[in-house]
């Protein structure tokens, strides 16, 4: 089961605006793939992504509301 976090993150994008990584609690997580994107009114857009880090691979759910990003859930891969 996933872990509910709902904590702020700093998202990184490439020149085309594609989500490439995020920083959370001082660690950087590279986005390997965007698995799913969906709207979640009134909470903006939700991105389910596969991430790589020093700890291994996981699936994370990121929420975006305007320019604010939050790490919503983390699931073991």
């Amino acid at each position: 089961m996933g872990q509910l976090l709902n904590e702020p993150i700093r998202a990184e994008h490439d020149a085309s605006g594609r989500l490439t990584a995020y920083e959370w609690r001082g660690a950087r997580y590279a986005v390997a793939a965007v698995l799913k994107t969906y709207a979640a009114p009134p909470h903006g857009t939700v991105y389910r992504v596969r991430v790589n880090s020093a700890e291994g691979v996981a699936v994370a759910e990121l929420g975006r509301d305007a320019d604010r990003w939050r790490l919503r859930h983390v699931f073991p891969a």
Side-chain angles (χ1 to χ4, degrees), residues 7 16 20-21 27 30 46 48 50-52 67 69-70 77:
E7 295 184 15
S16 67
T20 57
V46 175
R48 188 161 290 176
R50 183 178 306 116
V51 296
N52 298 318
D67 288 335
W69 286 84
R70 298 187 78 72

Side-chain angles (χ1 to χ4, degrees), residues 3-39:
Q3 180 180 6
L4 175 63
L5 297 164
N6 200 28
E7 295 184 15
I9 60 170
R10 187 181 64 77
E12 298 177 15
H13 304 86
D14 64 12
S16 67
R18 187 177 65 96
L19 179 64
T20 57
Y22 66 89
E23 188 176 309
W24 173 62
R25 294 185 179 177
R28 186 175 183 277
Y29 299 86
V31 173
V34 175
L35 305 174
K36 184 176 183 177
T37 303
Y38 55 95

